Amino acid sequence: MFDYVRKHTKLMMGLLFLLIIPSFVLFGIDGYNRFREKGAVVARVDGNDVTQTEWEAAHKREVDRLRSVMPNLDAKLLDSPQARYSTLERMVRERVLARAAQDAHLLIGDARLARELQSSPAIASLRRPDGTLDMERYRLLLGSQGMTPEMYEANVRQDLSVRQVESGLMQTGFAPPVLADLILNAYFQRREVQLARFEAKDFASRINLTDAELETYYQANQSLFRSPELVRIEYLVLDLDAIKKTIAVNEQDLKTYYEQNVASLSGGEERRASHILLAAGKDAPVSEREKAKAKAEALLAKLRQSPKDFAELARKESQDPGSAAKGGDLDFFSRGAMVKPFEDAAFAMSKGEISPVVESDFGYHIIKLTDIKAPKRKSYEELRPSIEADLKAQQAQKKFAEAAEIFSNTVYEQSDSLKPAAERLKLEVKTAANLQRQPGPGATGVLANPKFLEAVFSSDAIESKRNTQAIEVGPSQLVSARIVEYKAASTLPLSDVSARVRELLINSKASELARQEGEKKLAEWKVSPDKASFKPAQTLSRDQSQGTAPQLLEAVMRADAKSVPTLVGIDLGSQGYAIARINRVFARETPAADLQKAERGQLAQSWAAAQAQAYTKLLQQRYKAEIKVPAPSADPRS
C-alpha cells in the first residue's frame, strides 16, 4: 500500500486536491475552525447537542440584553455561575418548547414574522426617513451579536412558536373563585401554637466518642473528607482595557474631536412641564378610557378659557399622585425620560403653550410647557478626560483584531511560557492559586468562566503544563493560561480532618438523641397532657412567622388540626426535634373586595404557571432533555 503511494505521488496529490479543496470551498476554513471549537456538550434535547460555545454565546446575548435594560446592574451578578447555569436551563427549556411547537405544527408565517420585526424598537431605529430599512446597518447590528439576518429571523420565528406553546398553557389555566378562596383561606389561616424544642446542641455534651467510632465514621464517609483537584496557574488576559493602556492620543486630535462634537458632548436640551393626568391604563376597559378622555377634553376646554388656572386645576383633578400636589409640576427632564407620546408632545411645544389631550399607556394628559433649558456649552478642559477615553476606546477596538492574532499565535507557538506574549503586547502575567474545576464561591470574570476552566483542566494542559490556546471568554476578551503546579484530588488522612470528623459525628449522634427525647416526650404528653412543658403561646401564619424557622413554620401550618388542642412532632434533622401544640385555629378574615380580586388573579396566574411548569417537565421527559454539567451550589458554604 505505502509502496503504491510512493510510486503514484502525483496521482494521490491530485486525488487529495479533489477531495479537500471542494470542502474548503463549501464550508471555508472558518467552518472547520468552528467545527473543531464547538466545545464540550453541556446539554442534550431530543438527541441534539447544546455545546459549550452555544451556551457562552447565549449567555453573552442575555447579558447584553439585561445591561441594555438595566445599565446599573452589578456585573458580578451577571457573571456568576448561578446566572450562567440559569441561561443553560432556559436554553434547554426553549429547545424543548420549540420541539413541541414543531410537532404541533405551530408554524410562523412571513406576515407574522414581518409584524414582529416591525414592532422591534431596535429595528425601528434603523429605518430611514422614508420608512425603508437600512439593510447595511441591520447587518452590522446583527453581526456585532454574531448573527446574520437569516439566523436572527430564524430565532425570532422559533421564539414566536415557543410563545404560542406558552400562551396556550397560560391562557387555559384558571382557578374558579370558590376554589381560589378555599386555597387562599387555608394558606393564610392563623394558628395559636406553643412550642417545645429539643435542640441537638443541648445533647452534644452527652456524647463520648472512641477512636474506633471516629475511624468507622471516617471510613464510611470518606467522600466528605476529600481535598479537591487544585491548580496554581499563570494567565494572560487580552481585552480592550489592556490595549487602551498602550495607546497615547495626540493632543491635537483631542481638540479637533472637541470642536467637531462639542454640541452633542455638552448634553441635550431639557424641558420643564406640568401636566394633568386622567388615569386609564392601556388594559382598562374601552368605556373607562373613553370616559377619562371625555373628562380630559372638558378640562382642556376650561383651560383654553383660563390658562392661568392650570396649577389649581391640576391639584384638584390630576390623578398623578407624584405631581398633583405640586400643581402638576414634573420639573426638568430630557429626551428619553418620559413615555414617547408625552415626550413628543412636550418637545414640540413652545414655552407657555398648553397641548391638546395626549394619549399614553397611563391615560390622558394635558401638558403645559413651563420652561426650556438650552444645553450649556462645556469647555475643552471639562470634556478632555471623556474625549480621551472615547478616542482610546475607538482606537483599541480597531487594534484588537491585530492584537488578538498576535496573542493567539504567540501563546501557541511559544507554548512553554506566557512571557513572550506578555512582553510583546505589554500585558501583565497574573496568577491564581487553589483553582478548581468548578468556579469557587465568589469567583467572577475569567476565573469563573466554564470554557476557561475546561481548558485549564484539560489533560494536555495538566500533563504538559503548556499554554492553553487563546480562549474567547467575552466580547473582545481573550485569555490563555498555563499550570504552574497541579495537585490531584485525594482523600485527606484522618489525622488532618479528625476535628471535622469529630464535629460531624457528635452532631449526628446529638441529633439522634434529640429526636429520641422528643419522640419520648410526645408519647408521654399525649397520654398526660398536664405534664407537658411548652413555651408561651404565639399566633403564627405564613405571612406572620414571628421569627419562626421556615421548616418549623411550614410543618406547623401543614399539620392536621381538625380537633384542637393537638400535638405534632416535627423532625428538624441536624437541628433536633420540636413538638408543637396547636391550641386554636383562626379562620382568615374576609379581605376587602379589591384585595380579594387581586389575590384571586395572582392565584390564577400562579396556578397557570404551575401547570405550564409541569407540562414543560413532561416535555423534557418526552424529548429526553438532559443537562450534563452540575448545577452550582446556591450556598457558598456548601
Side-chain angles (χ1 to χ4, degrees):
M1 177 65 184
F2 290 105
D3 187 52
Y4 178 85
V5 172
R6 281 196 301 271
K7 291 179 179 179
H8 300 85
T9 303
K10 291 184 179 180
L11 176 63
M12 295 304 295
M13 288 178 65
L15 180 61
L16 290 172
F17 182 86
L18 291 173
L19 290 173
I20 294 173
I21 296 302
S23 63
F24 275 100
V25 172
L26 290 172
F27 301 107
I29 294 175
D30 286 343
Y32 278 93
N33 289 336
R34 286 194 297 269
F35 178 80
R36 188 181 71 248
E37 296 175 358
K38 279 185 178 179
V41 174
V42 294
R44 183 170 287 122
V45 176
D46 198 30
N48 298 309
D49 293 339
V50 179
T51 66
Q52 180 80 43
T53 303
E54 290 172 321
W55 181 15
E56 290 294 323
H59 187 67
K60 177 183 177 298
R61 289 194 296 270
E62 182 67 7
V63 167
D64 292 344
R65 184 187 68 81
L66 290 173
R67 281 178 175 161
S68 68
V69 177
M70 296 176 284
N72 297 324
L73 189 64
D74 188 353
K76 292 181 180 179
L77 297 177
L78 302 177
D79 204 31
S80 68
Q82 288 79 13
R84 290 178 177 278
Y85 194 81
S86 178
T87 297
L88 180 58
E89 289 181 312
R90 180 177 55 78
M91 288 180 69
V92 169
R93 179 174 173 275
E94 288 178 352
R95 293 200 179 193
V96 165
L97 291 174
R99 188 71 178 84
Q102 180 182 341
D103 285 353
H105 304 292
L106 299 176
L107 304 178
I108 302 300
D110 292 342
R112 177 69 183 90
L113 175 64
R115 288 198 303 272
E116 183 69 17
L117 295 176
Q118 288 170 2
S119 67
S120 169
I123 295 177
S125 66
L126 303 178
R127 294 195 177 280
R128 300 187 182 95
D130 62 1
T132 60
L133 185 64
D134 187 333
M135 289 302 298
E136 185 60 31
R137 291 175 62 200
Y138 179 49
R139 290 190 180 92
L140 286 173
L141 173 65
L142 297 179
S144 67
Q145 302 173 30
M147 290 188 289
T148 64
E150 292 76 18
M151 290 167 61
Y152 174 70
E153 288 161 16
N155 286 344
V156 173
R157 284 185 194 272
Q158 178 174 308
D159 183 52
L160 290 172
S161 297
V162 167
R163 275 194 246 163
Q164 288 189 73
V165 178
E166 291 178 316
S167 63
L169 293 169
M170 295 299 291
Q171 292 173 9
T172 56
F174 70 98
V178 173
L179 178 60
D181 291 344
L182 184 65
I183 294 171
L184 290 167
N185 291 341
Y187 186 82
F188 289 112
Q189 183 187 84
R190 295 178 299 127
R191 296 185 172 193
E192 183 187 274
V193 179
Q194 290 178 273
L195 297 173
R197 294 289 300 268
F198 303 87
E199 299 192 30
K201 63 182 181 179
D202 297 332
F203 292 82
S205 60
R206 303 185 190 182
I207 309 299
N208 294 308
L209 299 177
T210 65
D211 291 343
E213 287 177 311
L214 292 173
E215 177 69 29
T216 299
Y217 186 82
Y218 168 76
Q219 293 295 340
N221 297 277
Q222 288 195 10
S223 61
L224 300 176
F225 311 112
R226 287 182 61 81
S227 66
E229 189 178 21
L230 299 173
V231 294
R232 182 163 61 88
I233 65 167
E234 295 177 342
Y235 66 103
L236 277 184
V237 178
L238 175 70
D239 56 16
L240 295 179
D241 288 338
I243 297 177
K244 286 177 193 175
K245 293 177 182 178
T246 67
I247 295 174
V249 183
N250 182 282
E251 191 70 23
Q252 186 57 47
D253 291 341
L254 294 174
K255 290 180 179 179
T256 301
Y257 188 88
Y258 168 78
E259 293 298 334
Q260 292 175 347
N261 299 278
V262 62
S264 60
L265 292 171
S266 295
E269 178 183 273
E270 292 186 345
R271 297 202 163 200
R272 186 170 191 166
S274 298
H275 81 142
I276 298 172
L277 171 66
L278 281 304
K282 63 179 181 179
D283 297 326
V286 175
S287 59
E288 185 178 324
R289 288 185 66 84
E290 289 178 348
K291 183 179 177 182
K293 184 178 181 180
K295 185 174 181 180
E297 295 286 2
L299 291 175
L300 179 62
K302 286 185 181 181
L303 289 170
R304 296 294 189 210
Q305 296 176 358
S306 182
K308 61 183 177 57
D309 294 336
F310 192 98
E312 181 182 350
L313 205 58
R315 291 188 186 94
K316 291 180 180 178
E317 302 291 350
S318 179
Q319 295 170 345
D320 177 8
S323 68
K326 298 182 289 184
D329 181 38
L330 296 168
D331 209 337
F332 282 99
F333 55 87
S334 56
R335 284 192 178 274
M338 301 294 183
V339 292
K340 194 171 188 308
F342 189 103
E343 176 188 293
D344 290 346
F347 278 86
M349 295 166 63
S350 302
K351 184 176 178 179
E353 184 181 353
I354 295 175
S355 74
V357 173
V358 176
E359 180 181 359
S360 80
D361 289 346
F362 298 102
Y364 297 90
H365 310 258
I366 304 170
I367 305 169
K368 181 178 180 180
L369 189 67
T370 56
D371 204 355
I372 299 175
K373 185 189 291 184
K376 179 185 175 182
R377 182 185 175 98
K378 293 185 178 180
S379 68
Y380 172 71
E381 287 71 22
E382 288 178 287
L383 293 173
R384 188 188 183 287
S386 61
I387 293 174
E388 184 177 21
D390 287 345
L391 290 181
K392 280 189 174 184
Q394 292 174 20
Q395 292 184 31
Q397 190 68 61
K398 291 177 181 177
K399 289 186 175 182
F400 182 80
E402 179 185 352
E405 184 176 2
I406 294 171
F407 182 89
S408 301
N409 291 340
T410 307
V411 298
Y412 175 76
E413 292 167 358
Q414 302 185 50
S415 60
D416 58 342
S417 174
L418 293 171
K419 289 182 180 179
E423 291 172 356
R424 189 168 180 185
L425 294 169
K426 296 184 174 63
L427 301 176
E428 176 190 357
V429 178
K430 301 179 181 181
T431 61
N434 298 324
L435 204 64
Q436 301 179 33
R437 282 186 182 267
Q438 297 301 320
T444 58
V446 169
L447 300 181
N449 186 280
K451 191 175 179 181
F452 170 72
L453 293 175
E454 181 187 3
V456 168
F457 282 90
S458 67
S459 57
D460 181 61
I462 292 172
E463 292 167 6
S464 66
K465 291 186 171 59
R466 295 179 184 276
N467 300 340
T468 67
Q469 65 177 346
I471 305 157
E472 186 176 6
V473 294
S476 301
Q477 188 177 43
L478 294 176
V479 63
S480 176
R482 62 181 296 270
I483 293 177
V484 177
E485 183 181 353
Y486 173 77
K487 186 177 180 181
S490 63
T491 301
L492 296 168
L494 177 57
S495 58
D496 289 354
V497 294
S498 58
R500 179 61 175 160
V501 173
R502 179 177 294 277
E503 177 188 349
L504 291 175
L505 184 52
I506 287 176
N507 187 66
S508 175
K509 287 181 173 291
S511 300
E512 179 61 21
L513 288 179
R515 184 186 63 79
Q516 292 174 1
E517 181 67 14
E519 290 178 346
K520 176 183 174 184
K521 291 296 184 183
L522 177 62
E524 290 179 4
W525 294 352
K526 283 184 176 180
V527 176
S528 304
D530 55 318
K531 293 182 179 180
S533 176
F534 288 98
K535 291 182 178 180
Q538 55 183 326
T539 301
L540 300 177
S541 64
R542 287 184 174 88
D543 58 339
Q544 295 181 4
S545 66
Q546 311 294 348
T548 306
Q551 180 185 2
L552 180 55
L553 175 67
E554 192 62 24
V556 167
M557 299 307 298
R558 282 178 175 271
D560 187 359
K562 291 179 181 177
S563 60
V564 291
T566 186
L567 297 182
V568 179
I570 304 161
D571 188 351
L572 299 175
S574 62
Q575 300 300 313
Y577 195 85
I579 301 175
R581 182 166 69 187
I582 302 171
N583 296 324
R584 289 190 291 174
V585 176
F586 302 101
R588 185 194 186 203
E589 296 180 2
T590 303
D594 56 343
L595 177 59
Q596 187 178 52
K597 181 180 178 181
E599 288 178 345
R600 287 173 176 172
Q602 290 175 358
L603 180 66
Q605 290 179 359
S606 299
W607 190 285
Q611 287 181 322
Q613 187 177 20
Y615 181 66
T616 302
K617 286 184 178 179
L618 178 65
L619 291 177
Q620 288 175 337
Q621 294 174 5
R622 178 183 300 172
Y623 296 119
K624 299 178 181 178
E626 176 187 11
I627 293 180
K628 294 182 170 293
V629 295
S633 171
D635 184 354
R637 297 168 297 178
S638 60

